[in-house]
Amino acid sequence: MGDKAKEAMEAMRNVKMPKGGGGMAATVVKLAGGAVALGSLAYYSLYSVEGGQRAIIFNRFAGLKDNVVAEGTHFLVPWMEWPIIFDVRTRPRNITSLTGSRDLQMVNISVRVLSRPNIQELPFIYRRLGRDYDERVLPSIVNEVCKQVIAQFNAAQLLTQREQVSRLIRRNLIDRAQEFQILLDDVSITDLRFGREFTTAVEAKQVAQQDAERARFLVDKAKQEKRSIVIKAQGEAQSAALIGKAISNNPGFVELRRIDAAREVAQTLSRSSNRVFLGTDSLMLDVMGQAISMNKRAKGSN
């Protein structure tokens, strides 16, 4: 195969162009080469910046330029310049930090941060941090700010004053990120957990408080029952005293009570579906006996 290739190459070298045609072929080759060169130059001289992106230009001789290129298609000098594209849209990031409260309770806090770069300071961000600025900066400053803020509150205050804690973390974190030309659109606490020992202690405290409330309720119930019994006994004593006084002053009071009792019995029996016959003795209305006793009393008095 190698010998045949060499023979083909020699045959091509020995081919003679017709007279008058060599100049035209060379011209065509030159024009084609120029067109390819111009196409390549035009291709490498254009670059596009998509929506939500910005670009900065690095020059081999001047270094990084300070101007920021907006969205669209732009020109540059091939080989001497090239674009560095930044995504300037707001990006979410969840960061977890383990810190301690003022009463030395371990707290595991998760913070959600919405961040974006300061567009006018993209050259500064690239020189100092690079395109992965959020990876380099956010975890460290979030941990720093969370430790600083959480240490100002005890465990109970972290539960009852969560809004204030979130506001302090947001304010301090925004101020800290501005030193790196990073803008924070939102900072919020997504999770706040304590250690297992503290959680167990809180649950035990809740159980003890519930038991104390139950015992207090039972004591109050016993006091109310005792008071009810005393009041009922006092009422019965007063009722007995009044009844005794009424009987001594007016003997007809007993007869009146007997008639009331007989009326209640009669009303109860009248609502029953069965027929019941009761005598005057059962109804406590012994009229004949009462008449005889009254006659005997009248004769004795005479």
Side-chain angles (χ1 to χ4, degrees):
M1 292 294 292
D3 295 336
K4 292 182 179 180
K6 290 180 179 179
E7 292 175 359
M9 294 289 293
E10 289 294 333
M12 292 179 65
R13 290 196 188 103
N14 295 328
V15 173
K16 295 182 178 180
M17 297 294 293
K19 295 182 178 180
M24 184 179 295
T27 303
V28 171
V29 171
K30 291 180 181 179
L31 290 177
V36 171
L38 289 176
S40 299
L41 181 64
Y43 176 79
Y44 289 106
S45 298
L46 297 176
Y47 69 96
S48 297
V49 180
E50 304 293 337
Q53 295 179 343
R54 295 293 186 274
I56 53 178
I57 303 300
F58 183 83
N59 187 285
R60 289 183 181 273
F61 299 103
L64 193 66
K65 295 183 177 181
D66 292 332
N67 60 316
V68 178
V69 182
E71 302 171 357
T73 302
H74 306 277
F75 293 92
L76 52 73
V77 180
W79 186 81
M80 291 185 60
E81 296 178 342
W82 62 84
I84 301 171
I85 307 297
F86 272 86
D87 187 355
V88 297
R89 290 171 292 190
T90 300
R91 290 186 290 182
R93 186 180 181 88
N94 290 323
I95 302 173
T96 301
S97 175
L98 181 62
T99 181
S101 62
R102 190 172 62 184
D103 53 354
L104 303 181
Q105 296 293 336
M106 297 307 299
V107 181
N108 195 352
I109 181 172
S110 296
V111 180
R112 180 178 176 85
V113 179
L114 298 179
S115 63
R116 57 185 174 88
N118 187 352
I119 295 177
Q120 303 303 323
E121 299 296 334
L122 287 180
F124 168 84
I125 294 175
Y126 185 76
R127 287 191 185 99
R128 187 173 180 182
L129 302 173
R131 281 189 289 187
D132 57 344
Y133 60 92
D134 52 347
E135 293 284 348
R136 295 172 179 266
V137 173
L138 290 180
S140 59
I141 64 175
V142 168
N143 279 314
E144 176 188 354
V145 171
C146 287
K147 292 179 183 297
Q148 176 187 1
V149 174
I150 297 298
Q152 302 177 16
F153 300 87
N154 56 37
Q157 290 174 340
L158 290 175
L159 294 175
T160 58
Q161 303 179 16
R162 182 165 178 169
E163 183 179 355
Q164 182 179 356
V165 174
S166 179
R167 186 167 58 251
L168 284 176
I169 291 177
R170 174 186 173 86
R171 185 187 65 188
N172 295 350
L173 195 56
I174 289 176
D175 294 340
R176 191 77 174 86
Q178 284 181 351
E179 300 177 8
F180 302 94
Q181 301 301 329
I182 299 176
L183 304 179
L184 301 183
D185 294 333
D186 184 62
V187 178
S188 59
I189 298 176
T190 58
D191 192 15
L192 186 66
R193 297 182 183 180
F194 295 91
R196 182 178 301 176
E197 294 79 5
F198 178 77
T199 304
T200 304
V202 171
E203 292 177 355
K205 181 180 179 181
Q206 293 294 329
V207 172
Q209 288 180 350
Q210 292 177 1
D211 292 339
E213 291 292 335
R214 187 179 297 108
R216 188 178 298 109
F217 171 75
L218 293 176
V219 171
D220 293 339
K221 182 179 179 180
K223 289 181 179 179
Q224 293 296 332
E225 291 178 352
K226 180 179 178 181
R227 188 177 303 171
S228 175
I229 292 173
V230 172
I231 293 174
K232 184 177 180 180
Q234 291 176 353
E236 291 178 352
Q238 292 179 0
S239 177
L242 292 175
I243 290 174
K245 185 177 179 180
I247 292 174
S248 61
N249 293 335
N250 187 3
F253 179 77
V254 176
E255 299 298 331
L256 181 61
R257 295 297 295 270
R258 184 181 298 173
I259 293 172
D260 290 338
R263 184 174 58 187
E264 291 180 1
V265 172
Q267 289 179 351
T268 302
L269 294 176
S270 65
R271 289 191 293 266
S272 176
S273 60
N274 299 323
R275 290 194 175 187
V276 180
F277 296 93
L278 298 176
T280 57
D281 294 337
S282 301
L283 289 174
M284 296 177 292
L285 294 175
D286 190 5
V287 180
M288 297 299 296
Q290 293 177 5
I292 293 172
S293 61
M294 291 178 64
N295 290 331
K296 288 181 177 179
R297 289 177 184 175
K299 290 179 181 180
S301 60
N302 291 331

